[in-house]
Amino acid sequence: MGNAVRIAMVAGEASGDLLASHLIAALKARLPDAVFYGIGGPRMEAQGFDAWWPMEKLAVMGYVDALKHYREIAGIRRQLKKRLLDIRPDIFIGVDAPDFNLGLETDLKSAGVKTIHYVSPSIWAWRGGRIKKIARAVNRVLALFPMEPPLYEKERIPVTYVGHPLADIIPLETNKLAVREKLALPRDYPIFALLPGSRQGELAMMAETFVQTAKLIRERYLPNALFVVPLTTRETRLQFEMAIYTQQAGEVPFRLLFGHAQDALGAADVSLVASGTATLEAALIKRPMVITYKIAKLSYWIMKRMAYQPFVGLPNVLAGREVVPEILQDQATPENLAEALVKLYEDKENAEVVADVFTEIHYRLRQNTAEKAANAVIECLN
């Protein structure tokens, strides 16, 4: 293998940035001269990745949002494809973002560039048509979840189960009192973590509902409840502060954090989590949660029709049953959410059952992901 291995990558959002940064670090340990370039985020750049476009350009939400940004994204993909076909990297790794990456991978693979897709698109959640597309696009899939490899093996697509990096990072036990002390929160008050999402589109849909839910919990059920809200960006923090203002919830004790989702979840008795990777973080921290989501009505209708999984939230999908409640779309009213959260808070026996199920999931997902993924990439390169 020549001296400098050239590895092109595309990640589309924060969770992909995290995965890719760990993979880059593991690959650099084995291939010290390798160069990495493409589209990525700040964590990848911190590992020496050369981002030709910032990742934010690709982070859209739902079908309707995607249509609005279609021309810009299609333009980026055309330019990127041309550059990659000109310089022909040794391998291309698409990190999640299947709508952007699979088409690109198909073109690169048919031109003789090796392609890996890291993070199986959720074929377990969607009708199986997508798997044929994946077969044309990739030399190998790196799968994060144990229910995925059998689906690929059935179609004779090379697949490696690598586990989930969050299961490596998050300790098997999180001490609630220690985290409360770290965040200077009282030891014995009811504390709820609110995770309304990481993107502005999600906050636009969820922030007011989350604020009203907290307000109701204080007014109707637990007057001494506190609410910890981790937000990932300045924009989303502003959106949440705006919602507190418009809902006249200035009296409610919200503690807004920059990042620190795991601390917020660890300090909480119960969490309200907008569906996504955060639900997996909450599961690995072993606390009960309510999973909620609202998207544009049209997008939801399309998703409902295409899905064949009964659950939206990863914790329930991984457990194969409803371990924690999912309250979605029109059902996701502040009344319903507040009632469900308080019920979980009061049911200490259920909290133990939930913790046991999530501990078992944690062991299954803890696979030393970055190492396993790096080995698969190197095998593909050779």
Side-chain angles (χ1 to χ4, degrees):
M1 277 167 41
N3 38 14
V5 179
R6 293 161 313 149
I7 299 174
M9 298 173 108
V10 170
E13 53 187 87
S15 54
D17 187 28
L18 181 70
L19 276 176
S21 67
H22 290 204
L23 176 56
I24 292 170
L27 284 166
K28 277 166 66 177
R30 309 272 298 273
L31 306 167
D33 297 331
V35 290
F36 300 87
Y37 46 68
I39 299 178
R43 289 190 160 115
M44 292 162 75
E45 290 184 280
Q47 291 293 337
F49 180 84
D50 180 8
W52 295 343
W53 283 273
M55 185 176 76
E56 285 69 61
K57 293 283 184 200
L58 307 188
V60 297
M61 186 192 163
Y63 294 97
V64 180
D65 203 16
L67 289 173
K68 281 190 230 157
H69 295 275
Y70 177 76
R71 279 179 59 183
E72 186 186 8
I73 292 174
I76 291 174
R77 187 158 68 178
R78 264 198 315 278
Q79 293 172 59
L80 177 65
K81 182 174 102 179
K82 189 180 177 313
R83 261 180 102 164
L84 293 178
L85 288 173
D86 286 346
I87 60 180
R88 304 186 70 80
D90 295 296
I91 197 161
F92 175 86
I93 304 170
V95 186
D96 213 356
D99 298 326
F100 186 93
N101 280 326
L102 288 175
L104 182 60
E105 288 159 4
T106 305
D107 293 338
L108 292 171
K109 187 184 171 195
S110 60
V113 176
K114 289 176 178 167
T115 59
I116 284 184
H117 195 81
Y118 187 10
V119 182
S120 158
S122 22
I123 45 172
W124 39 266
W126 301 102
R127 298 198 190 287
R130 214 176 207 182
I131 200 156
K132 303 273 185 272
K133 197 172 164 185
I134 297 167
R136 288 195 300 275
V138 302
N139 295 98
R140 179 169 292 273
V141 173
L142 307 182
L144 304 188
F145 299 115
M147 68 278 189
E148 295 168 338
L151 301 169
Y152 288 99
E153 285 156 2
K154 209 173 95 202
E155 299 287 333
R156 302 215 166 99
I157 299 170
V159 60
T160 304
Y161 172 52
V162 297
H164 201 290
L166 283 173
D168 294 324
I169 298 165
I170 293 174
L172 286 162
E173 283 181 29
T174 302
N175 180 325
K176 188 188 292 176
L177 293 179
V179 186
R180 287 187 176 188
E181 203 159 294
K182 176 181 165 184
L183 296 178
L185 291 164
R187 289 172 71 94
D188 40 13
Y189 280 44
I191 295 181
F192 296 84
L194 306 180
L195 283 77
S198 59
R199 296 185 292 229
Q200 288 169 271
E202 291 171 314
L203 272 278
M205 284 290 189
M206 301 303 306
E208 294 192 349
T209 303
F210 273 53
V211 169
Q212 290 167 347
T213 301
K215 206 172 156 182
L216 271 182
I217 289 174
R218 297 254 316 173
E219 283 167 7
R220 282 192 197 166
Y221 303 100
L222 299 163
N224 60 344
L226 307 174
F227 304 91
V228 184
V229 192
L231 297 157
T232 46
T233 62
R234 254 206 284 311
E235 291 76 20
T236 52
R237 184 182 177 120
L238 200 62
Q239 280 174 291
F240 200 84
E241 286 172 343
M242 201 59 209
I244 294 173
Y245 176 74
T246 60
Q247 300 313 303
Q248 300 171 339
E251 303 297 290
V252 180
F254 289 108
R255 175 78 184 279
L256 306 190
L257 305 177
F258 255 129
H260 292 287
Q262 286 163 27
D263 284 341
L265 293 163
D269 298 293
V270 178
S271 303
L272 176 61
V273 188
S275 178
T277 307
T279 61
L280 183 64
E281 287 184 271
L284 293 171
I285 288 168
K286 327 281 186 306
R287 308 273 192 270
M289 72 186 101
V290 172
I291 295 171
T292 187
Y293 211 52
K294 283 184 198 177
I295 51 178
K297 280 199 165 48
L298 174 65
S299 298
Y300 186 73
W301 181 80
I302 296 172
M303 280 175 72
K304 265 313 239 194
R305 295 210 32 188
M306 286 170 68
Y308 62 79
Q309 257 290 346
F311 311 116
V312 174
L314 271 170
N316 292 332
V317 171
L318 287 163
R321 62 188 179 83
E322 184 164 302
V323 184
V324 293
E326 298 186 355
I327 302 179
L328 310 171
Q329 212 59 6
D330 297 339
Q331 296 301 306
T333 62
E335 289 74 19
N336 289 349
L337 294 172
E339 190 183 330
L341 288 163
V342 171
K343 202 166 133 192
L344 284 182
Y345 171 74
E346 287 169 350
D347 191 343
K348 302 302 177 204
E349 264 170 58
N350 172 62
E352 283 175 33
V353 173
V354 167
D356 289 344
V357 175
F358 288 164
T359 301
E360 199 257 320
I361 287 173
H362 200 150
Y363 279 111
R364 278 206 331 248
L365 295 180
R366 186 170 255 205
Q367 299 282 332
N368 201 353
T369 298
E371 285 302 308
K372 277 203 170 161
N375 289 342
V377 171
I378 287 169
E379 211 174 287
C380 220
L381 279 167
N382 293 333

CSV table of all heavy atoms in Angstrom, one decimal, residues 73-122:
chain,number,residue,atom,x,y,z
A,73,ILE,N,-27.8,21.1,-2.0
A,73,ILE,CA,-27.2,19.8,-1.6
A,73,ILE,C,-26.8,19.0,-2.9
A,73,ILE,O,-25.7,18.4,-3.0
A,73,ILE,CB,-28.1,19.0,-0.7
A,73,ILE,CG1,-28.2,19.7,0.7
A,73,ILE,CG2,-27.6,17.6,-0.5
A,73,ILE,CD1,-29.2,19.1,1.6
A,74,ALA,N,-27.7,19.1,-3.9
A,74,ALA,CA,-27.4,18.3,-5.1
A,74,ALA,C,-26.1,19.0,-5.8
A,74,ALA,O,-25.3,18.2,-6.3
A,74,ALA,CB,-28.6,18.4,-6.1
A,75,GLY,N,-26.0,20.3,-5.7
A,75,GLY,CA,-24.8,21.0,-6.2
A,75,GLY,C,-23.6,20.5,-5.6
A,75,GLY,O,-22.5,20.3,-6.2
A,76,ILE,N,-23.6,20.5,-4.2
A,76,ILE,CA,-22.4,20.0,-3.5
A,76,ILE,C,-22.1,18.6,-3.9
A,76,ILE,O,-20.9,18.3,-4.1
A,76,ILE,CB,-22.7,20.1,-1.9
A,76,ILE,CG1,-22.8,21.6,-1.5
A,76,ILE,CG2,-21.6,19.4,-1.2
A,76,ILE,CD1,-23.2,21.8,-0.1
A,77,ARG,N,-23.1,17.7,-4.0
A,77,ARG,CA,-22.8,16.3,-4.3
A,77,ARG,C,-22.1,16.2,-5.7
A,77,ARG,O,-21.2,15.4,-5.9
A,77,ARG,CB,-24.0,15.5,-4.2
A,77,ARG,CG,-23.7,14.0,-4.4
A,77,ARG,CD,-24.7,13.0,-3.8
A,77,ARG,NE,-25.9,13.1,-4.6
A,77,ARG,CZ,-27.0,12.3,-4.3
A,77,ARG,NH1,-26.9,11.5,-3.3
A,77,ARG,NH2,-28.0,12.4,-5.0
A,78,ARG,N,-22.6,17.0,-6.7
A,78,ARG,CA,-22.0,17.0,-8.0
A,78,ARG,C,-20.6,17.4,-8.0
A,78,ARG,O,-19.7,16.7,-8.5
A,78,ARG,CB,-22.8,17.9,-8.9
A,78,ARG,CG,-23.8,17.3,-9.8
A,78,ARG,CD,-24.2,18.2,-11.0
A,78,ARG,NE,-24.4,19.6,-10.6
A,78,ARG,CZ,-25.5,20.1,-10.1
A,78,ARG,NH1,-26.6,19.3,-9.9
A,78,ARG,NH2,-25.6,21.4,-9.8
A,79,GLN,N,-20.3,18.5,-7.3
A,79,GLN,CA,-18.9,19.0,-7.2
A,79,GLN,C,-18.0,18.0,-6.5
A,79,GLN,O,-16.9,17.7,-6.9
A,79,GLN,CB,-18.8,20.3,-6.5
A,79,GLN,CG,-19.5,21.5,-7.2
A,79,GLN,CD,-19.6,22.7,-6.3
A,79,GLN,OE1,-18.6,23.2,-5.9
A,79,GLN,NE2,-20.8,23.2,-6.1
A,80,LEU,N,-18.5,17.4,-5.4
A,80,LEU,CA,-17.7,16.5,-4.6
A,80,LEU,C,-17.4,15.2,-5.4
A,80,LEU,O,-16.3,14.7,-5.5
A,80,LEU,CB,-18.5,16.1,-3.3
A,80,LEU,CG,-17.8,15.0,-2.5
A,80,LEU,CD1,-16.5,15.6,-1.9
A,80,LEU,CD2,-18.8,14.6,-1.3
A,81,LYS,N,-18.5,14.7,-6.1
A,81,LYS,CA,-18.3,13.5,-7.0
A,81,LYS,C,-17.2,13.8,-8.0
A,81,LYS,O,-16.3,13.0,-8.2
A,81,LYS,CB,-19.6,13.2,-7.7
A,81,LYS,CG,-19.5,11.9,-8.5
A,81,LYS,CD,-20.9,11.5,-9.0
A,81,LYS,CE,-21.0,11.9,-10.5
A,81,LYS,NZ,-22.3,11.4,-11.1
A,82,LYS,N,-17.2,15.0,-8.7
A,82,LYS,CA,-16.3,15.3,-9.7
A,82,LYS,C,-14.9,15.3,-9.1
A,82,LYS,O,-13.9,14.7,-9.6
A,82,LYS,CB,-16.6,16.6,-10.3
A,82,LYS,CG,-15.7,16.9,-11.6
A,82,LYS,CD,-16.1,18.3,-12.2
A,82,LYS,CE,-15.2,18.6,-13.4
A,82,LYS,NZ,-13.8,18.4,-13.1
A,83,ARG,N,-14.7,15.9,-7.9
A,83,ARG,CA,-13.4,16.0,-7.3
A,83,ARG,C,-12.9,14.6,-7.0
A,83,ARG,O,-11.7,14.3,-7.1
A,83,ARG,CB,-13.5,16.8,-6.0
A,83,ARG,CG,-13.0,18.3,-6.2
A,83,ARG,CD,-13.1,19.1,-5.0
A,83,ARG,NE,-11.8,19.2,-4.3
A,83,ARG,CZ,-11.5,20.1,-3.3
A,83,ARG,NH1,-12.5,20.9,-2.9
A,83,ARG,NH2,-10.4,20.2,-2.8
A,84,LEU,N,-13.8,13.8,-6.4
A,84,LEU,CA,-13.3,12.5,-6.0
A,84,LEU,C,-13.0,11.6,-7.2
A,84,LEU,O,-12.1,10.7,-7.1
A,84,LEU,CB,-14.4,11.8,-5.1
A,84,LEU,CG,-14.6,12.5,-3.7
A,84,LEU,CD1,-15.7,11.8,-2.9
A,84,LEU,CD2,-13.3,12.5,-2.9
A,85,LEU,N,-13.7,11.7,-8.3
A,85,LEU,CA,-13.4,10.9,-9.4
A,85,LEU,C,-12.1,11.3,-10.1
A,85,LEU,O,-11.4,10.5,-10.7
A,85,LEU,CB,-14.6,10.9,-10.4
A,85,LEU,CG,-15.8,10.1,-10.0
A,85,LEU,CD1,-17.0,10.4,-11.0
A,85,LEU,CD2,-15.5,8.6,-9.9
A,86,ASP,N,-11.8,12.6,-9.9
A,86,ASP,CA,-10.5,13.1,-10.4
A,86,ASP,C,-9.4,12.6,-9.6
A,86,ASP,O,-8.4,12.2,-10.2
A,86,ASP,CB,-10.5,14.7,-10.4
A,86,ASP,CG,-11.4,15.3,-11.5
A,86,ASP,OD1,-11.7,14.5,-12.5
A,86,ASP,OD2,-11.7,16.5,-11.5
A,87,ILE,N,-9.5,12.7,-8.3
A,87,ILE,CA,-8.3,12.3,-7.5
A,87,ILE,C,-8.3,10.8,-7.1
A,87,ILE,O,-7.3,10.3,-6.6
A,87,ILE,CB,-8.1,13.2,-6.3
A,87,ILE,CG1,-9.3,13.1,-5.3
A,87,ILE,CG2,-7.9,14.6,-6.6
A,87,ILE,CD1,-9.2,13.9,-4.1
A,88,ARG,N,-9.4,10.1,-7.2
A,88,ARG,CA,-9.5,8.7,-6.9
A,88,ARG,C,-8.9,8.3,-5.6
A,88,ARG,O,-7.8,7.7,-5.6
A,88,ARG,CB,-8.9,7.8,-8.1
A,88,ARG,CG,-9.6,8.2,-9.4
A,88,ARG,CD,-9.1,7.3,-10.5
A,88,ARG,NE,-9.6,5.9,-10.4
A,88,ARG,CZ,-10.8,5.5,-10.7
A,88,ARG,NH1,-11.6,6.4,-11.2
A,88,ARG,NH2,-11.2,4.3,-10.5
A,89,PRO,N,-9.6,8.5,-4.5
A,89,PRO,CA,-9.0,8.1,-3.2
A,89,PRO,C,-8.9,6.6,-3.1
A,89,PRO,O,-9.5,5.9,-3.9
A,89,PRO,CB,-10.0,8.7,-2.2
A,89,PRO,CG,-11.3,8.8,-3.0
A,89,PRO,CD,-10.9,9.1,-4.4
A,90,ASP,N,-8.1,6.1,-2.1
A,90,ASP,CA,-8.0,4.7,-2.0
A,90,ASP,C,-9.3,4.0,-1.5
A,90,ASP,O,-9.6,2.9,-1.8
A,90,ASP,CB,-6.9,4.4,-1.0
A,90,ASP,CG,-5.5,4.8,-1.5
A,90,ASP,OD1,-5.1,4.2,-2.6
A,90,ASP,OD2,-4.9,5.8,-1.0
A,91,ILE,N,-10.1,4.8,-0.7
A,91,ILE,CA,-11.3,4.3,-0.2
A,91,ILE,C,-12.2,5.5,0.1
A,91,ILE,O,-11.7,6.6,0.5
A,91,ILE,CB,-11.1,3.4,1.0
A,91,ILE,CG1,-12.3,2.5,1.3
A,91,ILE,CG2,-10.7,4.2,2.2
A,91,ILE,CD1,-12.0,1.3,2.2
A,92,PHE,N,-13.5,5.3,0.0
A,92,PHE,CA,-14.5,6.3,0.4
A,92,PHE,C,-15.4,5.7,1.5
A,92,PHE,O,-15.9,4.6,1.4
A,92,PHE,CB,-15.4,6.7,-0.8
A,92,PHE,CG,-16.5,7.6,-0.3
A,92,PHE,CD1,-16.3,9.0,-0.3
A,92,PHE,CD2,-17.8,7.1,0.1
A,92,PHE,CE1,-17.3,9.9,0.1
A,92,PHE,CE2,-18.8,8.0,0.5
A,92,PHE,CZ,-18.6,9.4,0.5
A,93,ILE,N,-15.5,6.4,2.6
A,93,ILE,CA,-16.3,6.0,3.7
A,93,ILE,C,-17.5,7.0,3.9
A,93,ILE,O,-17.3,8.1,4.3
A,93,ILE,CB,-15.5,5.9,5.1
A,93,ILE,CG1,-14.3,5.0,4.8
A,93,ILE,CG2,-16.4,5.3,6.2
A,93,ILE,CD1,-13.3,5.0,6.0
A,94,GLY,N,-18.7,6.5,3.6
A,94,GLY,CA,-19.9,7.4,3.9
A,94,GLY,C,-20.3,7.1,5.3
A,94,GLY,O,-20.6,5.9,5.6
A,95,VAL,N,-20.4,8.1,6.1
A,95,VAL,CA,-20.8,7.9,7.5
A,95,VAL,C,-22.2,8.4,7.7
A,95,VAL,O,-22.5,9.6,7.6
A,95,VAL,CB,-19.8,8.7,8.5
A,95,VAL,CG1,-20.2,8.4,9.9
A,95,VAL,CG2,-18.4,8.4,8.2
A,96,ASP,N,-23.1,7.4,7.8
A,96,ASP,CA,-24.5,7.7,7.9
A,96,ASP,C,-25.0,8.5,6.7
A,96,ASP,O,-24.6,8.2,5.6
A,96,ASP,CB,-24.8,8.4,9.2
A,96,ASP,CG,-26.2,8.0,9.8
A,96,ASP,OD1,-26.9,7.3,9.1
A,96,ASP,OD2,-26.5,8.4,10.9
A,97,ALA,N,-25.9,9.5,6.9
A,97,ALA,CA,-26.4,10.4,5.8
A,97,ALA,C,-26.7,9.6,4.5
A,97,ALA,O,-26.1,9.9,3.4
A,97,ALA,CB,-25.4,11.5,5.5
A,98,PRO,N,-27.5,8.5,4.6
A,98,PRO,CA,-27.7,7.6,3.4
A,98,PRO,C,-28.2,8.3,2.2
A,98,PRO,O,-27.9,8.0,1.1
A,98,PRO,CB,-28.6,6.5,3.9
A,98,PRO,CG,-29.3,7.1,5.2
A,98,PRO,CD,-28.3,8.1,5.7
A,99,ASP,N,-29.1,9.3,2.4
A,99,ASP,CA,-29.7,10.0,1.2
A,99,ASP,C,-28.6,10.7,0.4
A,99,ASP,O,-28.7,10.7,-0.8
A,99,ASP,CB,-30.8,11.0,1.6
A,99,ASP,CG,-31.9,10.3,2.4
A,99,ASP,OD1,-32.2,9.1,2.0
A,99,ASP,OD2,-32.5,10.9,3.3
A,100,PHE,N,-27.6,11.2,1.0
A,100,PHE,CA,-26.5,11.8,0.3
A,100,PHE,C,-25.5,10.8,-0.1
A,100,PHE,O,-25.0,10.8,-1.3
A,100,PHE,CB,-25.9,12.9,1.3
A,100,PHE,CG,-24.8,13.7,0.6
A,100,PHE,CD1,-25.2,14.9,0.0
A,100,PHE,CD2,-23.5,13.3,0.5
A,100,PHE,CE1,-24.2,15.7,-0.6
A,100,PHE,CE2,-22.5,14.1,-0.1
A,100,PHE,CZ,-22.9,15.3,-0.7
A,101,ASN,N,-25.2,9.9,0.8
A,101,ASN,CA,-24.0,9.0,0.5
A,101,ASN,C,-24.2,7.8,-0.4
A,101,ASN,O,-23.4,7.5,-1.2
A,101,ASN,CB,-23.4,8.5,1.8
A,101,ASN,CG,-22.5,9.6,2.5
A,101,ASN,OD1,-21.9,10.3,1.8
A,101,ASN,ND2,-22.6,9.6,3.8
A,102,LEU,N,-25.4,7.2,-0.4
A,102,LEU,CA,-25.6,6.0,-1.1
A,102,LEU,C,-25.4,6.2,-2.6
A,102,LEU,O,-24.8,5.4,-3.3
A,102,LEU,CB,-26.9,5.3,-0.8
A,102,LEU,CG,-26.9,4.6,0.6
A,102,LEU,CD1,-28.3,4.1,0.9
A,102,LEU,CD2,-25.9,3.5,0.7
A,103,GLY,N,-26.0,7.3,-3.1
A,103,GLY,CA,-25.9,7.6,-4.6
A,103,GLY,C,-24.5,7.9,-4.9
A,103,GLY,O,-24.0,7.4,-6.0
A,104,LEU,N,-23.8,8.7,-4.1
A,104,LEU,CA,-22.4,9.0,-4.3
A,104,LEU,C,-21.5,7.7,-4.3
A,104,LEU,O,-20.7,7.5,-5.2
A,104,LEU,CB,-21.9,9.9,-3.2
A,104,LEU,CG,-20.5,10.5,-3.2
A,104,LEU,CD1,-20.3,11.3,-4.5
A,104,LEU,CD2,-20.3,11.4,-2.0
A,105,GLU,N,-21.8,6.8,-3.3
A,105,GLU,CA,-21.1,5.6,-3.2
A,105,GLU,C,-21.3,4.7,-4.5
A,105,GLU,O,-20.3,4.1,-5.0
A,105,GLU,CB,-21.5,4.8,-2.0
A,105,GLU,CG,-21.0,5.5,-0.7
A,105,GLU,CD,-21.7,5.1,0.6
A,105,GLU,OE1,-22.7,4.2,0.5
A,105,GLU,OE2,-21.4,5.6,1.6
A,106,THR,N,-22.5,4.7,-5.0
A,106,THR,CA,-22.8,3.9,-6.2
A,106,THR,C,-21.9,4.4,-7.4
A,106,THR,O,-21.3,3.6,-8.1
A,106,THR,CB,-24.3,4.0,-6.6
A,106,THR,OG1,-25.0,3.7,-5.4
A,106,THR,CG2,-24.7,3.1,-7.7
A,107,ASP,N,-21.9,5.7,-7.6
A,107,ASP,CA,-21.1,6.2,-8.7
A,107,ASP,C,-19.6,5.9,-8.5
A,107,ASP,O,-18.9,5.6,-9.4
A,107,ASP,CB,-21.3,7.8,-8.8
A,107,ASP,CG,-22.7,8.1,-9.2
A,107,ASP,OD1,-23.4,7.2,-9.8
A,107,ASP,OD2,-23.2,9.2,-8.9
A,108,LEU,N,-19.1,6.1,-7.2
A,108,LEU,CA,-17.7,5.9,-7.0
A,108,LEU,C,-17.3,4.4,-7.2
A,108,LEU,O,-16.3,4.0,-7.8
A,108,LEU,CB,-17.3,6.3,-5.6
A,108,LEU,CG,-17.3,7.8,-5.3
A,108,LEU,CD1,-17.2,8.2,-3.8
A,108,LEU,CD2,-16.3,8.6,-6.1
A,109,LYS,N,-18.2,3.5,-6.6
A,109,LYS,CA,-17.9,2.1,-6.7
A,109,LYS,C,-17.9,1.6,-8.2
A,109,LYS,O,-17.0,0.9,-8.6
A,109,LYS,CB,-19.0,1.3,-5.9
A,109,LYS,CG,-18.7,-0.2,-5.8
A,109,LYS,CD,-19.8,-1.0,-5.1
A,109,LYS,CE,-19.5,-2.5,-5.2
A,109,LYS,NZ,-20.7,-3.2,-4.9
A,110,SER,N,-18.8,2.1,-9.0
A,110,SER,CA,-18.8,1.7,-10.4
A,110,SER,C,-17.6,2.2,-11.1
A,110,SER,O,-17.3,1.7,-12.2
A,110,SER,CB,-20.2,2.0,-11.1
A,110,SER,OG,-20.4,3.4,-11.1
A,111,ALA,N,-17.0,3.3,-10.6
A,111,ALA,CA,-15.8,3.8,-11.2
A,111,ALA,C,-14.5,3.2,-10.6
A,111,ALA,O,-13.4,3.6,-10.9
A,111,ALA,CB,-15.7,5.3,-11.0
A,112,GLY,N,-14.7,2.2,-9.8
A,112,GLY,CA,-13.6,1.4,-9.3
A,112,GLY,C,-13.0,1.9,-7.9
A,112,GLY,O,-12.0,1.4,-7.5
A,113,VAL,N,-13.7,2.8,-7.3
A,113,VAL,CA,-13.2,3.3,-5.9
A,113,VAL,C,-13.9,2.4,-4.9
A,113,VAL,O,-15.1,2.1,-5.0
A,113,VAL,CB,-13.6,4.7,-5.7
A,113,VAL,CG1,-13.2,5.2,-4.2
A,113,VAL,CG2,-12.9,5.7,-6.7
A,114,LYS,N,-13.1,1.9,-3.9
A,114,LYS,CA,-13.7,1.0,-2.9
A,114,LYS,C,-14.6,1.9,-1.9
A,114,LYS,O,-14.2,3.0,-1.6
A,114,LYS,CB,-12.6,0.4,-2.0
A,114,LYS,CG,-11.9,-0.7,-2.8
A,114,LYS,CD,-10.8,-1.3,-2.0
A,114,LYS,CE,-10.1,-2.4,-2.8
A,114,LYS,NZ,-8.8,-2.8,-2.2
A,115,THR,N,-15.7,1.4,-1.5
A,115,THR,CA,-16.7,2.2,-0.7
A,115,THR,C,-17.1,1.4,0.5
A,115,THR,O,-17.4,0.2,0.4
A,115,THR,CB,-17.9,2.6,-1.5
A,115,THR,OG1,-18.6,1.4,-2.0
A,115,THR,CG2,-17.6,3.4,-2.7
A,116,ILE,N,-17.2,2.1,1.6
A,116,ILE,CA,-17.7,1.5,2.8
A,116,ILE,C,-18.8,2.4,3.3
A,116,ILE,O,-18.7,3.6,3.3
A,116,ILE,CB,-16.6,1.4,3.9
A,116,ILE,CG1,-15.7,0.2,3.6
A,116,ILE,CG2,-17.2,1.2,5.3
A,116,ILE,CD1,-14.6,0.0,4.6
A,117,HIS,N,-19.9,1.8,3.8
A,117,HIS,CA,-21.0,2.7,4.4
A,117,HIS,C,-21.0,2.3,5.9
A,117,HIS,O,-21.2,1.2,6.3
A,117,HIS,CB,-22.3,2.4,3.8
A,117,HIS,CG,-23.3,3.5,4.2
A,117,HIS,ND1,-23.4,4.7,3.6
A,117,HIS,CD2,-24.2,3.5,5.2
A,117,HIS,CE1,-24.3,5.5,4.1
A,117,HIS,NE2,-24.8,4.8,5.1
A,118,TYR,N,-20.7,3.4,6.7
A,118,TYR,CA,-20.5,3.2,8.2
A,118,TYR,C,-21.8,3.7,8.8
A,118,TYR,O,-22.2,4.8,8.7
A,118,TYR,CB,-19.4,4.0,8.6
A,118,TYR,CG,-19.0,3.9,10.1
A,118,TYR,CD1,-19.5,2.8,10.9
A,118,TYR,CD2,-18.0,4.7,10.7
A,118,TYR,CE1,-19.1,2.7,12.2
A,118,TYR,CE2,-17.6,4.6,12.0
A,118,TYR,CZ,-18.2,3.6,12.7
A,118,TYR,OH,-17.8,3.4,14.1
A,119,VAL,N,-22.5,2.8,9.4
A,119,VAL,CA,-23.9,3.0,10.0
A,119,VAL,C,-24.9,2.4,9.0
A,119,VAL,O,-25.2,3.1,8.0
A,119,VAL,CB,-24.3,4.4,10.3
A,119,VAL,CG1,-25.7,4.4,11.0
A,119,VAL,CG2,-23.3,5.1,11.3
A,120,SER,N,-25.4,1.3,9.2
A,120,SER,CA,-26.4,0.7,8.3
A,120,SER,C,-27.6,1.7,8.3
A,120,SER,O,-28.1,2.1,9.3
A,120,SER,CB,-26.9,-0.6,8.9
A,120,SER,OG,-28.1,-0.9,8.4
A,121,PRO,N,-28.0,2.0,7.1
A,121,PRO,CA,-29.3,2.8,7.0
A,121,PRO,C,-30.4,1.9,7.7
A,121,PRO,O,-30.3,0.7,7.7
A,121,PRO,CB,-29.6,2.9,5.5
A,121,PRO,CG,-28.3,2.7,4.9
A,121,PRO,CD,-27.5,1.8,5.7
A,122,SER,N,-31.4,2.6,8.3
A,122,SER,CA,-32.3,1.8,9.1
A,122,SER,C,-33.2,0.9,8.3
A,122,SER,O,-34.4,1.2,8.2
A,122,SER,CB,-33.1,2.7,10.1
A,122,SER,OG,-33.1,4.0,9.6
